[in-house]
Each structure stands twice: as structure tokens, then as C-alpha cells.
Amino acid sequence: MFVADIFGDYAAFAPIILMLVAALIIPAVHIFGKKRTVTWAVALVFTVASLLINMYMLVDGFTGTTLGVYEYNAYTGLMVLLFQIVLFLAILVSNASTETTRLHVGAYYALIIGATTGMMFVAGSSDLLTIFVGVELTSISSYALVTMKRNDSRAAEAGVKYVIIGGLSTALTIYGISMIYGLTGTTDIASIAATTSVTGMSWILAVGLVCMVAGYGFKIAAVPFHMWAPDVYEGSSTPVSMFLATGSKKMGLGVFFQIFVVIFVAGTAMSDICGEQIQYLFAIIAAFTMTVGNVVAIAQNNIKRMLAYSSIAQAGYILIALAVMSEYAVSAGLFHMFTHVFMKGGAFLIVGALICVGLGEKISDYKGLAKRSPFLAAAMLFFLFSLAGIPPLAGFTSKFFLFNAAIGGVDGVTSQWVWLAFIAILNSAISLYYYARVVKAMYIEKGSTEEKIKIPKPFLAAIVICLVFVVVLGVYPQLIFDYCEMAAAALLG
């Protein structure tokens, strides 16, 4: 394998090494190149190179460990691929976006690549401390990215809120880790499962687990830790909003899989001790998250805030996998994470493209869009209906897998989580209402002008990519779902 020949003992780290090199040299490239386009091109080339290497490793079935802290397997490769796709879409449109900074271009690309590097590091970590370090690398980079928007006071306000709430989540997380370390004497997740399966449940372990659920719950904007998401998504530039909604949130969900699924499913003895209580905790969080996200989204008039609350609801759907905690449920959760990247990413990209041509962020600004740009209106319709779960789009297929996991999974035996699937189906119906508001504005209501809209070509390319995958994954889910099954099997050992 050529990756092992080039990178030697650090082959498992190969995609991350390219990202680290890019993050370090891009500020210098901007200083000496003095052109935004050159900096953008270098960032894009490194991203594509890292993505291609990771795809080769994933398809080839590569496994390996680096420095004893990072393990590459099917799960790692799939999650890294997800983060790289998000980064590629964000970078592709950043140079053309009128919202992104023109003063600190090198820093912008270094930060967004650095944030992705943190996500990639988290994906291969099996220790609470290395996961924490990766999450903080992503978080600190994200705080700066949110504020890097041109001439908009909302960005500074969003950045301050994000830092304060992010600091609180960090404090809760590290306190939870310290409690578990104090009880078990280790931060290795597999060792924690083995140790606590002998000692049993105690108040120290309970406090530690609850603090970590709360701390990482902020990262995925789960209710009641969701209050930062609408302000941050609205205040930041649209490429950054898309990056946070589709990438950073998936990192937090991946952390939940890596910690709680490994402890309470792979560590079967722990499952016997308190697994059901943890499952019900996630089920309750999932139910409240999807319900609050969908209900509050109905009242939103700003499309970015509506998409933010929709993202909260989507996190609730994925949390179903953590309530069920079966291999099939984890596979379905991973698949929905992938489809969400293209559905929600495509919707944000259309919003960003329309901002570039002077359209506002209110839903009322989308009146008559079907006449001004038939393609964009059709693409937005596909993305929104996919988010709502309308067949035969990708959102329907991934929700079908998720809800099927809650109802009975692959064995056909009705499970105790039917009520959770019913709540999720009801919420999908609710979401159709506020998605239909946008469709109504685009196709039925008349706008103030019928002047044709021409968006920048990078935005057009990114939207087409998302649209193709939303359709293809809906009718041919095995393209990704087979890898999701392999990833779930690797995660569960």
C-alpha cells in the first residue's frame, strides 16, 4: 500500500498530516502570494489530496495505529470522510462568498482546516483526553471563524455567545472526565468499561457520565443545551454556518458513539448494570430535541435561524441510535449523518449563494424565486423535502433506517422504543409545515421583481454535488450504507 510506503509508521495519520501541513503553510502562502485566489486554491488542493488518500485507505480496508493514541479503522475512515466532504464544500464556496473575510484570508483557511483536523483526530481516538483535545481544537478554531464575517455586528455577538457557552461545555466535560478518572484511574474508554463493569454504578460514575452528556450535548445543540445554535448560525458567514451545522455537530455525535456505545454495548457487563438507564436518558433527550427544534422552527422568519432549529431537530433523530444502541441503529445513525451533510449543506449553500447576489435572509425574500432561478428553487425544494423525509430522497431513506432501528431493527421483533419512533415520525410531519412555507414563497407567492439570478460558479458546483447525492443516496443507499455497517462493526469491536 503506497500510503504505508510514504508515511511509514504514521500511515494511520496520513490524512491528518496533510491537513496539519496545510494549516501551517497557508498563512505564509497568503502573505507571499498576496492573492486570495492563490490561498484558496492551495487550501482546496490539500483538502482534495487528503480526501483522496482517506478514500483509498477506506476502500482498501486499511487498519493501523499511530503513537498508541490514534487508530484508523472502518469507523475512523468513514467519519474522516464525512468531515473532509464538509470541509471541501465550505472551502469550495468561501472565495466566492461575499460574507467571508477579505482581511485575514490566510487565517480563515488555516482555522477552518485546523477545526477539521480536530474533528479527524477525534474520529480515531479511544481515550477521553485525546477526544477532549481534538474537540477543543475544533471548538477554539470555530469561535474565531464565527467572528470572521464582513461588516456584520451580529458576528461579534454570536462569537461572544459561542465562546461563553463553549467554555461552560468545556468545564462540564473536563469535570466529568476528572470524576471518571478519579474512579477508574484511566481515561481509556475500553479500560473504563472493563473497570466499571467490576465496580458497578456509583454516584461518582453517574455524575461523570451526566457531565459528559451535558458537555458534549452543547456541541451537538441537543435540548436543553441548544440555545447557542440559532444565534451562531445566523451571525456567522454562511459557509461557516454550513460547516458548523454539518461538520462540528457530527463530531459531537461521533463522540457520543465512541464513548457511550463502546462503554455500554461493547462493554457488555456495563450494559447489564446501567445500560437501560443510559438508553432512556438518550431517548428522552432525543424526544425533546427533535420536538423543540421542529416546533420552534415554525415561528422563524429568518431562513438561517429556521435551518438552525431544523439542525437541532435532526440531531434529535440521530440520537435515536444512542437510545437503541444496536449495531444496526449505529449504522442507521451514521448513514443519516451523511445524508444530513448533503441535505442541510445544500440548503445553506443556496442561502449563501443568494446572499452573494443581494437577496436577504428572510423567508419572505424568497418570494418568486422559482421564476428568477428555476434551478435554485428546485434544488432548495429537493433539499427541504429530503430533510422532511419525503421519498425517494436521501432523507426519507436514512430516516426509514433510523425509525426501523427503533421499531424493531433487522430481526423484526418489536422493541421498547416504538414510542420514540412514533414521536420522530410525528416530528417529521411537523417539519414539513415550515419547509413548505419556503416552497410556497418560492413557487406560489409573487416577488417584487422577476430579474434573473446568476450565482457564482463555485456555489453552483457545490449545490449540484449536494443535489446529486441527495437523489442518489435516496435510491441507492448501499453506496454509503455498506460502509456505515462496516464502521458500526468496527466501533463495536
Side-chain angles (χ1 to χ4, degrees):
M1 184 178 183
F2 83 91
V3 175
D5 294 336
I6 296 173
F7 293 94
D9 294 338
Y10 299 95
F13 238 37
I16 292 181
I17 290 173
L18 283 176
M19 290 289 92
L20 286 172
V21 171
L24 290 172
I25 70 169
I26 279 178
V29 169
H30 182 62
I31 290 173
F32 294 107
K34 297 181 180 180
K35 289 186 178 180
R36 290 188 297 110
T37 305
V38 173
T39 310
W40 168 78
V42 171
L44 198 61
V45 166
F46 271 95
T47 300
V48 171
S50 179
L51 188 152
L52 292 175
I53 286 177
N54 179 59
M55 285 183 65
Y56 176 79
M57 294 167 68
L58 180 62
V59 173
D60 194 56
F62 175 84
T63 57
T65 304
T66 297
L67 301 175
V69 297
Y70 186 87
E71 180 182 1
Y72 189 100
N73 53 31
Y75 172 80
T76 306
L78 189 71
M79 290 299 294
V80 167
L81 178 63
L82 185 151
F83 300 141
Q84 289 172 326
I85 290 171
V86 172
L87 176 65
F88 171 75
L89 293 173
I91 289 181
L92 181 60
V93 301
S94 289
N95 191 53
S97 174
T98 58
E99 299 175 85
T100 51
T101 180
R102 295 293 189 268
L103 299 176
H104 310 287
V105 176
Y108 171 81
Y109 288 112
L111 284 168
I112 200 167
I113 290 174
T116 308
T117 304
M119 299 177 194
M120 295 164 67
F121 186 69
V122 167
S125 299
S126 58
D127 187 280
L128 294 181
L129 283 182
T130 53
I131 288 174
F132 177 79
V133 169
V135 169
E136 288 309 299
L137 174 57
T138 299
S139 298
I140 293 170
S141 301
S142 299
Y143 302 153
L145 283 170
V146 168
T147 63
M148 299 178 78
K149 184 179 180 181
R150 299 178 68 193
N151 306 321
D152 195 334
S153 59
R154 294 178 301 173
E157 179 185 349
V160 171
K161 290 179 180 178
Y162 199 14
V163 168
I164 293 172
I165 296 175
L168 176 60
S169 75
T170 298
L172 284 170
T173 303
I174 201 68
Y175 183 72
I177 292 173
S178 68
M179 295 290 280
I180 292 175
Y181 176 76
L183 176 67
T184 63
T186 181
T187 53
D188 180 75
I189 296 171
S191 300
I192 290 170
T195 303
T196 51
S197 65
V198 176
T199 60
M201 177 56 76
S202 65
W203 69 268
I204 297 176
L205 178 61
V207 169
L209 292 174
V210 168
C211 283
M212 284 201 296
V213 169
Y216 290 124
F218 278 104
K219 305 301 181 187
I220 67 171
V223 174
F225 318 111
H226 66 289
M227 64 289 292
W228 61 271
D231 291 330
V232 170
Y233 291 2
E234 180 187 7
S236 55
S237 64
T238 307
V240 173
S241 298
M242 187 273 292
F243 177 79
L244 295 176
T246 57
S248 180
K249 185 170 288 189
K250 303 305 178 296
M251 175 193 68
L253 289 162
V255 169
F256 276 135
F257 284 148
Q258 287 162 252
I259 295 176
F260 291 95
V261 172
V262 171
I263 289 179
F264 293 102
V265 179
T268 52
M270 273 304 293
S271 178
D272 295 335
I273 294 169
C274 60
E276 190 170 354
Q277 291 89 331
I278 293 293
Q279 286 177 281
Y280 270 102
L281 173 63
F282 279 116
I284 292 168
I285 294 174
F288 275 103
T289 299
M290 66 180 79
T291 303
V292 170
N294 283 317
V295 171
V296 179
I298 294 173
Q300 303 306 311
N301 293 315
N302 182 292
I303 195 163
K304 290 175 77 172
R305 292 185 72 87
M306 187 204 77
L307 290 173
Y309 280 106
S310 168
S311 289
I312 293 168
Q314 296 293 329
Y317 298 137
I318 300 171
L319 285 172
I320 291 174
L322 284 155
V324 179
M325 280 197 183
S326 67
E327 186 173 317
Y328 178 70
V330 173
S331 302
L334 291 171
F335 183 62
H336 191 69
M337 287 162 66
F338 257 92
T339 61
H340 184 255
V341 166
F342 298 112
M343 300 183 293
K344 186 56 60 66
F348 268 114
L349 288 169
I350 290 176
V351 173
L354 292 174
I355 289 174
C356 288
V357 295
L359 211 66
E361 297 177 13
K362 292 183 178 180
I363 295 175
S364 58
D365 294 324
Y366 284 64
K367 291 180 179 180
L369 181 63
K371 290 187 177 180
R372 301 185 67 189
S373 179
F375 171 75
L376 289 183
M380 181 64 96
L381 182 147
F382 271 72
F383 294 139
L384 295 180
F385 278 7
S386 182
L387 285 165
I390 302 298
L393 302 174
F396 167 78
T397 307
S398 57
K399 283 185 178 181
F400 176 82
F401 289 153
L402 260 179
F403 301 167
N404 185 42
I407 292 170
V410 293
D411 56 8
V413 178
T414 303
S415 77
Q416 60 184 317
W417 307 111
V418 173
W419 63 271
L420 185 57
F422 176 77
I423 292 174
I425 293 169
L426 184 62
N427 270 281
S428 291
I430 294 172
S431 70
L432 185 59
Y433 172 77
Y434 60 82
Y435 292 137
R437 285 179 60 206
V438 182
V439 176
K440 178 187 174 186
M442 293 189 301
Y443 281 92
I444 298 176
E445 298 178 5
K446 292 184 178 180
S448 57
T449 177
E450 293 187 6
E451 182 184 353
K452 297 298 182 181
I453 290 175
K454 186 177 181 180
I455 63 171
K457 290 181 180 179
F459 273 99
L460 181 62
I463 292 165
V464 169
I465 290 170
C466 291
L467 186 59
V468 167
F469 277 99
V470 163
V471 174
V472 170
L473 292 179
V475 297
Y476 184 57
Q478 301 309 123
L479 181 67
I480 293 293
F481 192 72
D482 287 344
Y483 289 99
C484 294
E485 290 181 313
M486 289 189 288
L491 182 66
L492 295 170

